[in-house]
Amino acid sequence: MLRLLCTIILCVIHVFTLISNAKGQEFTELEMAHYREKIKSMFYHAYNSYLDHAYPYDELRPLTCDGQDTWGSVSLTLIDALDTLLILGNYTEFQRVATLLQDTVDFDIDVNASVFETNIRVVGGLLSAHLLSKRAGMEVEPGWPCSGPLLRMAEDAARKLLPAFQTPTGMPYGTVNLLRGVNPTETPVTCTAGVGTFILEFSALSRLTGDPVFEDVARKALRSLWKTRSEIGLVGNHIDVLSKKWVAQDAGIGAGVDSYFEYLVKGSIMLQDEELLSMFLEYDKAIKNYTKFDDWYLWVQMHKGTVSMPVFQSLEAFWPGLQSLIGELDSALRTFHNYYTVWRQFGGLPEFYSIPQGYTVDKREGYPLRPELIESAMYLYKATGDHTFLQLGRDAVESIEKITRVPCGYASVKDIRDHKLDNRMESFFLAETIKYLYLLFDPDNFLHNSGLDFELGTGPSEDCVLGAGGYIFNTEAHPLDPAALHCCSRKQEERRELQDILLNLSEPLPSPQDTQSQETDSETEPPVMDPSESIALKPGSRRKAPLLSCPMQPFSARLAVMGQVFTDGT
């Protein structure tokens, strides 16, 4: 314990030194432009290497200059990198690749795929590309953003995942065969994030297409998982989706759990959903009570709260960015600087870092070019304007270039201590790491829009406001436009109201007694209609107005700084 305290004191001293030094290091616009160009160059070195040596495989193997399939044989790196192309301003290549994917990718394949990874990378990537396709100069079909070829591809991929959710609990299996469904011998044990990381993509699909099945299964999984938390309010790491029994009872914010918490916050913002936010805030209390120690987050036993692993995992580095979204900036800044000290120690974040020892954990010394600390830097720079976070971005660019660049791309680091390399470049390097680095140095990018720039929808309603900001990044950094969801949801509402009117005109007039009875029933128990049914609503029934009543409301500035999530009804 004494050793732990000494380590913490040294870290705090080092942090304050970093802060005092960084405050005086302001980046000029010329320097910002320099790093934007450097990051673009990094992207194209990796991207062109993939096209030259690995396509149509999922991923590039940069040391042997060839490719391999990893997550489903669907040219994954192209799907993951598609919206990054647009963010970097390459409209021509975005159009070429979007067309290529439509012509070549087929999800009717006999492949076992991760439900989690397919959702965040494939479904998320296609949804984002669909919503950005008009900005990229592509000709969109009538009804966009509520229809389109990339949306149909995303829907097709998501339907291949639905059999995994057919469990007694509603919590999904971890793996599904894209052609045959769940294998009868499939293990029922999956990680917490593998249960709770669907609400963004699946809700977006439901609201864009009008088919509620995706949002329904995602919500059922979330609510089922919520009921399994321990007496002290924590969840473990792995759960049996058939019995609800916790198989791994370590509770923390890192690997196996991370994006579950992320999606509760981001889902509450994107969907204006108080239930999701209240879930997260309850978890947040327990996390602070039992896992937080001097602005580090340890792993504890989920029922007792006793420390089981005093380690920091690189995947936990998303947490300061998430804290900024709910307005907890002071805590976010302190935790970020703890993590930044680890980066500076090694030139990257090891997968596991022992806090008492101040060093890497055996067999967990790798650095696969993860984006999480850069992601937090982007959010915190946007919230504070503090150039300390640009300094982290500069350090990341320089260390990735120096340590991991090889002739055929960028290689994961097998051991961050001696910088030995591994023969893999995961698709998230182009989807997340490069994207967050570029956005950090490009404060005027359209994704940072504060609501001053927008366009009117040309599909279901001419007065739909799209692209006005408030983009929500999924956990693979694929941006989703909440206004498009509202726009298409309203289309479905208007369609049902029209059906209701037409049905009323075709029905005989009810007697006064029947009318009075209907009104009484309606007041006590509003009728509920399955949105997937093709018939009209029952006469006299009405749906609730959508929670998000103003699609042009900017989401970013007040949310990030003040933690205000919900509209005030004005």
Side-chain angles (χ1 to χ4, degrees):
M1 189 65 186
L2 181 60
R3 189 173 184 179
L4 173 61
L5 289 174
C6 290
T7 302
I8 291 170
I9 291 170
L10 288 173
C11 284
V12 169
I13 293 172
H14 187 42
V15 165
F16 281 113
T17 303
L18 281 174
I19 294 173
S20 61
N21 290 339
K23 284 289 186 181
Q25 298 178 359
E26 296 288 313
F27 283 71
T28 65
E29 177 50 42
L30 191 61
E31 290 173 311
M32 299 278 280
H34 166 75
Y35 279 104
R36 286 197 296 272
E37 290 306 310
K38 196 162 188 175
I39 294 161
K40 277 188 179 181
S41 175
M42 292 169 64
F43 172 85
Y44 286 114
H45 177 61
Y47 180 76
N48 290 332
S49 294
Y50 168 78
L51 290 179
D52 292 341
H53 303 290
Y55 176 79
Y57 290 103
D58 281 340
E59 290 180 356
L60 170 69
R61 298 204 304 170
L63 300 185
T64 52
C65 298
D66 56 12
Q68 64 179 345
D69 282 330
T70 52
W71 298 112
S73 305
V74 291
S75 303
L76 180 62
T77 294
L78 271 191
I79 296 175
D80 241 356
L82 187 51
D83 53 22
T84 309
L85 283 165
L86 177 62
I87 290 164
L88 268 55
N90 193 337
Y91 293 10
T92 303
E93 183 66 1
F94 179 99
Q95 295 171 19
R96 185 189 77 83
V97 172
T99 303
L100 178 66
L101 291 172
Q102 294 169 44
D103 293 339
T104 59
V105 173
D106 182 6
F107 298 114
D108 286 322
I109 50 177
D110 189 4
V111 168
N112 293 323
S114 164
V115 180
F116 169 84
E117 298 289 354
T118 303
N119 177 56
I120 66 170
R121 303 193 197 208
V122 177
V123 178
L126 291 170
L127 277 173
S128 178
H130 161 72
L131 292 173
L132 296 174
S133 56
K134 186 179 180 184
R135 179 178 286 274
M138 295 190 72
E139 184 177 348
V140 297
E141 66 184 40
W144 183 91
C146 312
S147 65
L150 292 173
L151 177 60
R152 287 189 287 274
M153 286 184 69
E155 182 180 5
D156 186 24
R159 288 198 186 280
K160 300 295 184 181
L161 307 181
L162 288 179
F165 291 83
Q166 294 174 6
T167 64
T169 65
M171 295 189 284
Y173 285 95
T175 303
V176 67
N177 185 284
L178 297 182
L179 189 63
R180 307 177 190 278
V182 177
N183 191 308
T185 62
E186 177 65 31
T187 174
V189 176
T190 190
C191 66
T192 305
V195 174
T197 309
F198 295 91
I199 194 66
L200 289 184
E201 298 85 359
F202 275 32
S203 291
L205 266 178
S206 283
R207 301 196 182 197
L208 291 172
T209 65
D211 188 339
V213 65
F214 303 105
E215 184 169 347
D216 287 349
V217 298
R219 285 189 180 276
K220 184 176 180 181
L222 281 178
R223 288 167 179 160
S224 186
L225 186 58
W226 169 252
K227 294 175 183 177
T228 66
R229 65 196 188 283
S230 70
E231 304 83 356
I232 59 175
L234 296 173
V235 288
N237 199 275
H238 280 74
I239 192 170
D240 187 312
V241 300
L242 300 181
S243 67
K244 291 189 178 182
K245 179 180 179 181
W246 285 101
V247 178
Q249 299 186 2
D250 294 309
I253 62 170
V257 186
D258 49 357
S259 52
Y260 171 43
F261 297 135
E262 177 186 0
Y263 273 39
L264 291 178
V265 172
K266 290 182 176 179
S268 72
I269 298 172
M270 186 178 83
L271 304 174
Q272 298 289 279
D273 192 304
E274 297 186 50
E275 178 188 12
L276 300 180
L277 183 62
S278 65
M279 285 180 180
F280 175 79
L281 293 177
E282 285 298 310
Y283 280 130
D284 196 35
K285 291 177 187 176
I287 289 167
K288 289 173 181 173
N289 286 339
Y290 295 102
T291 76
K292 186 178 181 181
F293 294 86
D294 293 303
D295 299 307
W296 294 95
Y297 292 84
L298 311 183
W299 289 83
V300 302
Q301 210 282 339
M302 65 177 289
H303 296 289
K304 302 176 183 177
T306 53
V307 175
S308 58
M309 291 190 297
V311 300
F312 156 61
Q313 298 179 354
S314 62
L315 284 169
E316 298 172 15
F318 83 100
W319 191 257
L322 192 69
Q323 287 180 301
S324 76
L325 289 178
I326 60 171
E328 294 187 355
L329 281 177
D330 289 341
S331 177
L333 293 171
R334 293 193 298 269
T335 296
F336 177 88
H337 285 297
N338 279 350
Y339 299 167
Y340 190 12
T341 61
V342 180
W343 180 287
R344 290 173 66 91
Q345 184 178 352
F346 298 102
L349 292 182
E351 292 287 68
F352 282 35
Y353 178 84
S354 171
I355 298 170
Q357 296 175 353
Y359 208 62
T360 60
V361 175
D362 187 40
K363 298 181 180 178
R364 294 292 187 273
E365 305 94 347
Y367 165 56
L369 305 177
R370 291 200 187 277
E372 282 73 20
L373 190 62
I374 302 164
E375 172 187 359
S376 284
M378 185 203 73
Y379 280 111
L380 291 171
Y381 178 62
K382 188 176 178 183
T384 67
D386 186 345
H387 284 221
T388 303
F389 305 107
L390 296 178
Q391 181 180 332
L392 177 276
R394 179 199 63 195
D395 291 349
V397 169
E398 302 298 343
S399 64
I400 290 172
E401 275 285 284
K402 181 178 180 181
I403 297 169
T404 76
R405 183 180 176 119
V406 293
C408 291
Y410 292 86
S412 298
V413 182
K414 183 182 294 185
D415 192 328
I416 198 69
R417 298 170 301 177
D418 58 15
H419 298 163
K420 289 182 179 177
L421 300 179
D422 199 4
N423 193 20
R424 189 174 185 187
M425 187 184 81
E426 289 219 43
S427 66
F428 61 64
F429 178 66
L430 295 179
E432 298 186 79
T433 308
I434 291 290
K435 183 182 295 166
Y436 284 131
L437 273 173
Y438 190 80
L439 290 173
L440 176 62
F441 286 101
D442 189 20
D444 296 325
N445 193 278
F446 74 90
L447 285 178
H448 296 313
N449 186 7
S450 62
L452 298 178
D453 181 30
F454 60 87
E455 63 177 353
L456 296 180
T458 58
S461 179
E462 290 290 337
D463 60 349
C464 275
V465 176
L466 303 172
Y471 291 92
I472 303 297
F473 291 92
N474 85 337
T475 198
E476 191 78 0
H478 295 305
L480 303 172
D481 184 358
L485 276 57
H486 170 79
C487 181
C488 296
S489 296
R490 193 171 73 181
K491 175 188 176 184
Q492 300 300 326
E493 292 290 327
E494 291 171 351
R495 176 174 173 268
R496 293 186 192 104
E497 288 196 10
L498 177 60
Q499 290 173 325
D500 188 15
I501 293 170
L502 293 173
L503 184 60
N504 272 323
L505 292 174
S506 65
E507 292 274 334
L509 290 174
S511 66
Q513 293 86 351
D514 291 339
T515 303
Q516 185 176 0
S517 174
Q518 277 187 0
E519 290 175 354
T520 304
D521 292 342
S522 178
E523 290 173 2
T524 56
E525 189 174 350
V528 178
M529 170 71 174
D530 184 350
S532 66
E533 296 180 21
S534 60
I535 62 173
L537 292 174
K538 294 180 180 179
S541 62
R542 290 291 185 273
R543 292 185 165 276
K544 286 185 178 180
L547 286 171
L548 179 58
S549 57
C550 183
M552 67 193 73
Q553 178 178 351
F555 289 76
S556 53
R558 284 195 305 125
L559 293 177
V561 179
M562 304 300 294
Q564 297 172 347
V565 172
F566 299 102
T567 58
D568 58 9
T570 59

